[in-house]
Amino acid sequence: MKIGDIATAAGVPTATVRFYERRGLIPRAPRTPAGYRKYGGDTARRLQFIKHAKELGFSLDDIQTMLELRTDDPAACRAVEALAQAKVQAVREHLRELRRLERILSRLVQKCEEPHAPAACPILEVLGKPATRQPAPAPGRRLA
Amino acid sequence: MKIGDIATAAGVPTATVRFYERRGLIPRAPRTPAGYRKYGGDTARRLQFIKHAKELGFSLDDIQTMLELRTDDPAACRAVEALAQAKVQAVREHLRELRRLERILSRLVQKCEEPHAPAACPILEVLGKPATRQPAPAPGRRLA
DNA sequence: CTTGACCTTAAACCTCACTTCAAGGTTAGG
DNA sequence: CCTAACCTTGAAGTGAGGTTTAAGGTCAAG
């Protein structure tokens, strides 16, 4: 298997496979005499693992940790479980924030659709107000 | 008001105020003879607006659009409403994804807590599986 | 032998919203 | 006068997770 083959199999660009190698997520592949990377099934399975974990919201750092733990050792399972627990917590937190946001935004849109003075956009008005009471961390980035 | 004053008032670092000025989110402030920026209440209100909009998940690009529309014009309200609608849609989409994730992750954690062979971590097993379902790419050569 | 699809590398670039740095100038207080 | 705390600028750095580019080498088909 050449790089294009596992890349296609795993559904990622070849550049990403090289990037993972450089980053240490997959081992350095042995080369053919011409210098081409050659792969066996191990790397394909590893790329699957990475892909699944990424889809579940694990960062590449998390994934590296898990890959390093993949000795079939009961302690590894506990470490992985802890990682997954933390991720569930983070996801739940994120869900709470987004639900709040959805509520606020959909109310604003609704107000826009109710009759109002044509020169007074309710959204612009609300946004312009001096302060709303509620400590409101935004999703994503945070102010310094 | 000097830059530190509005920055404190708005709860952002001075560097951020300068950054917003460079980016065109707030107008270039007039300078004192020594070159210091001096501000009136307008900019403070604008910073408030930016802060609120950011908390609702609008990007700086979105915010710039809204600020450029802030003539008291009924068309502006419709444009802002469209922006908010799009944001609500995005938030809902994000919510769906996160809920799916939460379900999957919490099941995995639960499986870890049930009794299982000590050397077989259910999480590592699930992550390592070839695929849940695959559209099976055709065996032709494709760009990677 | 030529074409085109594939492969190699290092290094630069991307997004987003800032933050930090370097190298200075200004001002208020003591 | 001195010092600390402010302020100025442009440029570069951060983080995450890659993507793109440049400049080439390899290989199978026609």
Side-chain angles (χ1 to χ4, degrees):
Chain A
M1 270 176 133
K2 286 186 294 185
I3 195 171
D5 301 323
I6 36 156
T8 302
V12 298
T14 55
T16 298
V17 178
R18 290 192 198 98
F19 170 70
Y20 286 168
E21 178 178 311
R22 250 198 345 278
R23 205 184 177 294
L25 281 170
I26 56 181
R28 181 175 159 82
R31 311 296 156 119
T32 68
Y36 286 18
R37 285 166 180 81
K38 61 182 177 197
Y39 295 98
D42 279 12
T43 305
R45 272 186 294 282
R46 209 164 233 259
L47 282 174
Q48 283 300 342
F49 181 93
I50 293 169
K51 201 183 175 196
H52 290 159
K54 233 163 36 82
E55 280 165 1
L56 292 185
F58 291 97
S59 70
L60 296 188
D61 276 356
D62 290 340
I63 294 171
Q64 191 144 23
T65 302
M66 291 197 281
L67 285 167
E68 278 157 12
L69 285 172
R70 297 207 64 186
T71 63
D72 289 337
D73 165 11
C77 185
R78 284 193 293 279
V80 169
E81 192 194 340
L83 224 56
Q85 287 267 24
K87 194 58 63 181
V88 168
Q89 291 307 317
V91 167
R92 285 184 181 150
E93 173 91 13
H94 202 155
L95 274 170
R96 272 194 295 281
E97 276 176 25
L98 279 181
R99 280 196 265 262
R100 202 181 65 85
L101 224 61
E102 203 242 302
R103 202 162 27 77
I104 295 174
L105 277 175
S106 56
R107 273 186 202 159
L108 281 180
V109 169
Q110 220 167 18
K111 268 201 183 158
C112 265
E113 273 162 12
E114 287 166 8
H116 60 77
C121 175
I123 295 180
L124 291 177
E125 254 165 45
V126 166
L127 290 175
K129 268 188 194 153
T132 320
R133 175 157 337 198
Q134 276 206 16
R141 281 119 194 126
R142 203 159 285 263
L143 320 151
Chain B
M1 269 174 135
K2 286 186 294 183
I3 194 170
D5 301 322
I6 36 156
T8 301
V12 298
T14 56
T16 299
V17 178
R18 289 192 199 100
F19 169 71
Y20 286 169
E21 178 178 309
R22 247 195 352 275
R23 205 185 177 293
L25 280 170
I26 56 180
R28 182 176 158 82
R31 312 297 157 118
T32 67
Y36 284 19
R37 287 166 178 83
K38 61 181 177 196
Y39 294 97
D42 279 12
T43 304
R45 271 186 295 282
R46 217 171 161 101
L47 283 174
Q48 283 300 342
F49 181 93
I50 294 170
K51 201 182 175 196
H52 290 159
K54 235 163 33 81
E55 281 165 2
L56 292 184
F58 291 97
S59 69
L60 296 189
D61 276 357
D62 289 341
I63 294 171
Q64 190 144 23
T65 301
M66 290 196 281
L67 286 168
E68 278 157 11
L69 285 172
R70 296 206 65 187
T71 63
D72 288 336
D73 167 10
C77 186
R78 285 193 293 280
V80 170
E81 192 193 339
L83 224 58
Q85 288 267 24
K87 195 57 62 182
V88 169
Q89 291 307 317
V91 167
R92 286 186 181 148
E93 172 91 13
H94 203 155
L95 275 170
R96 273 195 296 282
E97 274 174 28
L98 280 181
R99 281 196 263 262
R100 200 178 68 85
L101 225 62
E102 203 243 303
R103 200 161 28 77
I104 295 174
L105 278 174
S106 56
R107 275 187 200 157
L108 280 179
V109 169
Q110 219 168 18
K111 268 199 182 158
C112 265
E113 274 164 9
E114 287 165 9
H116 59 77
C121 174
I123 295 181
L124 290 178
E125 254 166 45
V126 166
L127 289 176
K129 267 190 192 150
T132 330
R133 72 201 120 86
Q134 269 198 93
R141 302 199 149 198
R142 296 197 307 154
L143 296 168

